[in-house]
Amino acid sequence: MNNLEQQNRIELARSPEAIPGGDIWSERLTEAFEKRARTCRMKSYATYEELVREGIGAKRLLHEGGNSTTQIEQLDGIIREAHDAYAQYSEKIERARGARVKGGEEMKARIESIETEIVNIQKLDLSKEEKQTQVKGKIEELQGLAQELPLSLSQKDTIREVSDRARSAVELQEVQAPLIKGVQSVLKYIESENLLDERDDDLEMWKNRNLVHVEQLKMLYGGRFPDALPAHLGYLLMNMDTRLDQARSMVGRTDTFQFALKRYSTLVNHFGELVEEVTARVEIAMPGMIERVTGLLQEKQRIQGSLIQIKPEQKEVAQNRIDEINKDVAELQGRLRASVEEHVRQLPPPEAELIPHKQAQWGPYLTEEEAKNAIEALFQANLPDTIWLEELGQVKALVEFYQNRKPGLPDEMQQKVDNKIRYFSLKFTLLRDKLIAGNIISEGMAGLDLGPPPEIEELPVEQKNDETIITSEGELESSPQDQEETTQPRMMESPLESEEIGLDEEAQHEPGEVVYVHRPTGERFIIDTTYNHVALPSPPQMMISRERLIASLPIQDLQKPEKVEAAVELLLKRRDEEIRLMKDLITRGPFEVIQEILHMPFSDFENQDQFTSEVGAYMKQEGIKINGKSLKYIHEGITTYLAELGYKATADGRLVGEVLSDGIKFRLST
Amino acid sequence: MVSNGDRYINVLDEAEEEFSSVMDDLQRQMDAVVLAAQTAETERLATEEE
C-alpha cells in the first residue's frame, strides 16, 4: 500500500460514517442514563402525587367532619414533608446528571483523542512493528473505555472479544480496517443493549397489565385463589407464567424473543378479556357487590398499615374492625366465587394456542376447524422467516416425539397422545404450506413426511364421517377410502431424482424390505427401505429425503469397476445436488451462513468447537443472528450427511469417499 | 468492578430507593392520623348516643 492509499484509508476511517466516534459512545451512555432517570422520576412522581392527593382528600374529609385542627395540621405537616422529599430527590437526580455529563464529555474527548493518536501513529517514522505495538496500546485503551459503559457482563465480554480480534488482526499487519470493524461491532452491541432494555420494558409492561387482571380476579375469588380457579382460568394463568419465563429467557435473541413476546401478550390480552367479561357478568348478576368487597378490603389494608402507630387503647377497636371486615369479605367473596364459576362455565373455550399443549387438541375439546383457525390466527403475526423455520422444526420434532412415545402407553394415554399428534401434524402442515407459499422453502426441501395423523376415535359417528383428515402431504382427504390410502407412509416426491434413479413411485415398500432401484443407464442398486426418511437434527433444511438417501446407501451388488465408477459418479452428483440445494436455501435468505460453511476447509468440520466458533464469529461480524444450538445442528447435519454419503474429512482438508465392492475398497478424493 | 457508567445509574437507583422509603414512612403516618380521627369520631358518636 503506498502513502496515498494509506492516507485515503485513514481519511475514510475518519469520516463519520466509517468510524463512529466518541460522541456516539457518549450518546449511548446518555441514552441509558436518561432512560433510567425518566423511569425513576415517573415512578417517584406518581408515588409523591398519590400521597399528596390522598393527604389533601383526607384533610377535606376531616374538615367536613368537624375534626380537631390538630389532625388537620398533622396532615399538613406530612404533605409538606412529601414536597420537601420530592424536591430533594429531584436535586439528587440533577446532580447525578451533571456528574454523568461531565464524565461523558471526558470519555468522548478521550475517545476522539485516541482516534487522532491512531491516525498519527500511521504517520510516524517508525518500523511497522513499533507502529503495531503503539496501535495495540490504543486499542486496549479503547477497550478500557468501553468497560466504562453501562453494559451487562456478557456484553463486556463481547467487547473484549472484539478487541481481541482487532488485536489479532493488528498482528497480521492489518491495522486500520479491523479497528474500524471492532469499534463498529462494539457499537452494534451497545445498540443491542438499548434494545434489550426496551425488551425488558415490553415484558414488564405486559406483566403489569396482566397483574391488574390477576389482582382483579384474586379479589373476586378470595382466599382460595389460584388453586381452586375454574380449569379454564387456571390453565391460562399457568400457561402465562410459562410463556413469560420463555420470553424472559429469550430477551437476548431478537427473533425468538419477538415470537415469545407475541405469544405472551396474546395470552395476557385473552386473559384480560376473560376477567373483564366475567367481572361484567358478575356485576350485572350482583350489582354493587364488587364495590363493597373492594371497599372493605381497602379499609382493612389501611387499618393494618396503621396498627403499629396507633395508641394501645385504639388497637382493640382497630382489630375488632379487621375481624368484622374479614367475616364480611369471606361471606361476600363466597357468593362472588359461585357467580364467577357459573359465568366462566358459560364462556367459550379458549383458542388452541391460548391453552397449554396438553389441552391443545381437538376431538373432545376443539373441533379441527377451530384448531385450524387458531393456528392460522397465530400465523398473522408479522415475524421474520427464520422464526417460522425454527417453529417448523420444533413442531416436527414434537410430532416425532409423540409418535415415538405412543407405543406401549395405556389406551387412555394413547388417545391423548393421538390428539397431540393430530394437533401438531395440522400445525406442521399449515406452517409448511405457508412457508412454501411465501417462497421461504422450496417444495422439494419441504417434503417432510410425518405420516398420517391418527384417526379421531372420540367423536360421534355422524361427525366422524364428515371429518376432514389432513394428510402429511397437506391435502384434504374427505372420503374414508382416501383416508385408507394415506395410512401408508408416503415418501417425498422429487420428480428429478425419482426419474434419475428409476424408483418405482407407485410401489409401497415395507420397512426393511429389499428393493431394487434401476438407473436409466441400466445399473441396478439394492437398497434398504428401513428409513422412510432421514431426519437429521433440525433446522428443517437439513432433512434429507428418502430418495437421496437411497442413492447414497452402500452399494453391494456391483461387480465391475466401471459400475463402481458410475456409482461414484452418482455419489458425487448427489453431493453436488445437496450443495446446490443448500445454495438454493442460501439465496432465499435465512441461512446465508451456509455459504460461508461451504467455503470452509472440510477439516474444520471435524472439530465442532472450532466450527461453531469460526462460523459464529463470522455471523456475528456479519450481523446474522443465530444461536449456538442452531450452529451445533448445522454442524451435525452436515457431518451426518457427509457420513451417509460415505465421505469423511481428512486431516489435510480433503473429502474422501469410500465405496466397497466385492471386498475391494475404492477411494475417491476431492 | 463497577464501571463509571454503572455508577452514574446506581446513583439514580439509590436516590429512588431513599425517596421511596421516605414516602412509605409518610404514608404510614398519614394512615395513622386518618385512623385516629375515624376512631375519635366513632367514639364521639357512641358517647352522644349514650
Side-chain angles (χ1 to χ4, degrees):
Chain A
M1 185 160 54
N2 63 33
N3 280 343
L4 187 62
E5 277 171 345
Q6 190 171 2
Q7 190 58 37
N8 283 343
R9 285 182 67 176
I10 292 167
E11 287 307 317
L12 182 69
R14 296 278 306 150
S15 77
E17 290 79 16
I19 179 162
D23 51 343
I24 294 185
W25 291 46
S26 169
E27 212 174 89
R28 296 289 179 262
L29 179 57
T30 308
E31 272 174 27
F33 177 91
E34 289 303 330
K35 197 169 175 185
R36 181 71 65 90
R38 207 164 41 242
T39 317
C40 289
R41 177 71 74 97
M42 278 165 66
K43 196 173 150 200
S44 302
Y45 184 78
T47 317
Y48 155 75
E49 194 194 21
E50 196 186 324
L51 184 83
V52 171
R53 195 181 288 166
E54 200 182 316
I56 293 170
K59 259 175 66 182
R60 197 181 62 237
L61 283 176
L62 294 186
H63 181 73
E64 284 167 3
N67 284 69
S68 77
T69 47
T70 319
Q71 279 149 345
I72 294 177
E73 278 167 8
Q74 281 175 340
L75 286 176
D76 270 336
I78 291 170
I79 293 169
R80 263 198 309 277
E81 275 188 53
H83 286 316
D84 291 348
Y86 187 72
Q88 280 173 17
Y89 168 76
S90 299
E91 259 181 48
K92 266 186 201 158
I93 300 260
E94 283 313 312
R95 275 204 300 275
R97 179 175 285 122
R100 195 224 37 83
V101 169
K102 192 163 172 275
E105 286 298 323
E106 283 167 7
M107 188 192 282
K108 178 184 163 187
R110 185 62 201 130
I111 291 171
E112 280 172 357
S113 145
I114 292 176
E115 283 171 33
T116 316
E117 286 162 21
I118 289 174
V119 173
N120 288 340
I121 291 169
Q122 310 280 333
K123 294 177 187 165
L124 291 176
D125 185 19
L126 293 171
S127 72
K128 201 172 269 180
E129 288 71 26
E130 282 169 320
K131 282 183 187 175
Q132 282 171 14
T133 311
Q134 291 203 13
V135 171
K136 269 166 75 176
K138 298 296 168 197
I139 289 172
E140 270 162 21
E141 197 176 341
L142 265 180
Q143 187 187 348
L145 286 167
Q147 295 290 316
E148 297 291 299
L149 290 166
L151 301 177
S152 67
L153 280 178
S154 62
Q155 276 149 349
K156 284 177 181 168
D157 282 347
T158 308
I159 291 169
R160 200 171 300 128
E161 191 190 310
V162 167
S163 303
D164 286 347
R165 283 165 62 82
R167 209 174 9 251
S168 322
V170 168
E171 280 154 15
L172 293 170
Q173 303 181 3
E174 295 167 9
V175 175
Q176 199 75 29
L179 174 67
I180 296 167
K181 273 215 152 147
V183 173
Q184 281 172 337
S185 307
V186 170
L187 286 167
K188 234 180 209 173
Y189 272 85
I190 295 169
E191 272 163 21
S192 75
E193 164 76 1
N194 287 338
L195 268 182
L196 293 189
D197 279 353
E198 278 165 25
R199 285 175 207 170
D200 280 340
D201 288 352
D202 283 347
L203 270 186
E204 208 53 28
M205 184 193 80
W206 283 105
K207 199 183 123 211
N208 288 338
R209 194 176 288 189
N210 191 31
L211 269 184
V212 173
H213 287 111
V214 171
E215 287 301 319
Q216 193 172 331
L217 188 61
K218 199 188 276 181
M219 191 275 294
L220 289 177
Y221 220 69
R224 291 158 69 225
F225 185 90
D227 297 340
L229 274 180
H232 194 132
L233 292 169
Y235 282 134
L236 271 174
L237 267 183
M238 195 173 73
N239 205 18
M240 275 190 300
D241 282 349
T242 313
R243 293 280 189 231
L244 177 63
D245 286 346
Q246 280 176 351
R248 278 197 176 126
S249 70
M250 290 169 183
V251 163
R253 296 168 55 193
T254 309
D255 295 348
T256 39
F257 172 78
Q258 283 174 23
F259 194 69
L261 179 69
K262 174 81 194 162
R263 285 184 153 179
Y264 177 60
S265 56
T266 310
L267 274 182
V268 169
N269 274 336
H270 184 75
F271 179 76
E273 281 164 16
L274 276 183
V275 173
E276 291 294 347
E277 173 74 22
V278 169
T279 310
R281 289 183 187 211
V282 171
E283 187 72 63
I284 293 168
M286 300 174 158
M289 178 79 89
I290 295 175
E291 204 180 332
R292 271 181 69 196
V293 175
T294 316
L296 285 170
L297 288 173
Q298 279 171 354
E299 189 188 344
K300 179 180 160 186
Q301 203 180 3
R302 235 182 359 250
I303 297 173
Q304 280 173 333
S306 316
L307 272 180
I308 45 164
Q309 297 191 17
I310 56 177
K311 291 176 195 161
E313 61 269 26
Q314 291 175 330
K315 271 196 179 156
E316 200 186 327
V317 181
Q319 192 52 54
N320 288 343
R321 180 66 193 136
I322 290 178
D323 293 344
E324 270 175 38
I325 293 174
N326 282 345
K327 207 173 133 207
D328 289 351
V329 167
E331 194 263 321
L332 296 176
Q333 274 185 333
R335 288 159 64 188
L336 281 177
R337 195 153 48 231
S339 183
V340 169
E341 280 171 357
E342 183 195 330
H343 289 112
V344 168
R345 269 197 300 277
Q346 291 169 12
L347 294 172
E351 290 179 356
E353 274 309 307
L354 301 176
I355 50 180
H357 284 327
K358 68 176 179 181
Q359 291 297 310
Q361 47 187 255
W362 70 76
Y365 203 80
L366 286 176
T367 66
E368 183 192 322
E369 197 55 33
E370 282 168 339
K372 196 174 164 197
N373 290 342
I375 293 167
E376 282 182 341
L378 189 76
F379 293 163
Q380 300 306 312
N382 182 21
L383 296 170
D385 299 341
T386 43
I387 293 190
W388 297 120
L389 285 170
E390 193 176 323
E391 181 77 354
L392 187 73
Q394 281 171 3
V395 176
K396 182 176 189 293
L398 272 170
V399 175
E400 286 171 349
F401 171 76
Y402 286 121
Q403 278 168 341
N404 293 335
R405 281 287 298 278
K406 194 179 152 191
L409 287 174
D411 283 354
E412 67 276 14
M413 287 293 288
Q414 288 213 5
Q415 193 175 317
K416 284 183 179 173
V417 170
D418 275 352
N419 280 335
K420 289 176 202 293
I421 296 173
R422 217 169 24 245
Y423 173 78
F424 289 116
S425 300
L426 173 65
K427 187 168 181 183
F428 173 83
T429 308
L430 294 174
L431 186 51
R432 185 194 57 187
D433 292 350
K434 169 189 157 71
L435 295 181
I436 292 174
N439 267 338
I440 297 158
I441 52 173
S442 67
E443 286 194 43
M445 290 307 281
L448 313 174
D449 194 344
L450 291 177
E455 286 181 20
I456 297 173
E457 289 166 12
E458 63 274 48
L459 287 182
V461 179
E462 61 272 17
Q463 261 183 283
K464 197 175 169 182
N465 288 342
D466 294 331
E467 189 73 60
T468 302
I469 299 290
I470 299 196
T471 71
S472 55
E473 300 296 313
E475 296 158 357
L476 296 175
E477 305 280 353
S478 54
S479 76
Q481 194 186 348
D482 285 344
Q483 286 177 27
E484 219 24 65
E485 282 176 13
T486 63
T487 54
Q488 284 293 332
R490 289 167 102 168
M491 298 180 299
M492 179 191 104
E493 285 169 14
S494 162
L496 172 75
E497 289 176 351
S498 299
E499 191 189 332
E500 270 182 10
I501 60 175
L503 184 70
D504 183 359
E505 285 182 33
E506 298 301 315
Q508 296 289 336
H509 306 301
E510 291 299 321
E513 180 190 352
V514 174
V515 175
Y516 293 91
V517 177
H518 303 269
R519 286 192 78 195
T521 48
E523 294 99 326
R524 191 180 68 161
F525 300 163
I526 295 176
I527 56 137
D528 182 335
T529 58
T530 304
Y531 306 102
N532 288 322
H533 66 268
V534 178
L536 295 183
S538 52
Q541 288 73 14
M542 288 300 160
M543 302 299 174
I544 292 176
S545 75
R546 180 178 186 245
E547 286 86 343
R548 265 181 281 144
L549 172 69
I550 288 168
S552 58
L553 280 174
I555 300 158
Q556 295 161 351
D557 69 339
L558 300 176
Q559 304 296 323
K560 295 176 183 172
E562 62 268 27
K563 290 204 172 182
V564 175
E565 272 176 34
V568 168
E569 189 190 303
L570 181 66
L571 217 55
L572 270 179
K573 202 172 167 189
R574 291 292 158 233
R575 190 202 63 171
D576 291 341
E577 173 71 356
E578 183 63 10
I579 290 174
R580 191 192 65 71
L581 285 164
M582 280 187 185
K583 282 183 174 164
D584 184 34
L585 273 172
I586 292 157
T587 55
R588 284 167 195 273
F591 281 84
E592 307 96 303
V593 64
I594 298 176
Q595 190 154 31
E596 182 67 9
I597 297 168
L598 292 174
H599 291 117
M600 286 173 72
F602 277 105
S603 59
D604 284 356
F605 287 125
E606 285 186 325
N607 180 338
Q608 186 174 305
D609 288 342
Q610 188 185 345
F611 173 89
T612 48
S613 94
E614 286 286 321
V615 180
Y618 165 78
M619 287 188 295
K620 202 178 278 178
Q621 183 187 317
E622 296 301 309
I624 300 166
K625 304 267 182 188
I626 192 162
N627 65 8
K629 206 169 161 194
S630 303
L631 276 176
K632 189 169 161 271
Y633 286 149
I634 292 173
H635 178 264
E636 284 173 6
I638 292 175
T639 45
T640 310
Y641 178 59
L642 291 173
E644 279 169 359
L645 284 177
Y647 284 103
K648 63 179 184 185
T650 62
D652 59 357
R654 285 176 307 121
L655 195 61
V656 177
E658 290 180 349
V659 179
L660 271 175
S661 176
D662 284 344
I664 302 166
K665 195 181 276 180
F666 290 85
R667 289 178 68 90
L668 167 80
S669 173
T670 53
Chain B
M1 188 188 84
V2 181
S3 76
N4 279 339
D6 290 334
R7 219 168 284 141
Y8 298 131
I9 285 177
N10 287 348
V11 173
L12 297 179
D13 290 342
E14 283 162 18
E16 198 207 346
E17 209 171 294
E18 198 181 310
F19 176 74
S20 163
S21 125
V22 172
M23 286 291 125
D24 284 349
D25 187 42
L26 290 176
Q27 181 73 55
R28 269 195 297 273
Q29 288 182 33
M30 190 182 288
D31 289 343
V33 171
V34 173
L35 185 70
Q38 281 174 345
T39 313
E41 179 68 5
T42 315
E43 281 168 358
R44 191 180 60 81
L45 288 173
T47 316
E48 274 177 16
E49 276 174 22
E50 279 170 16

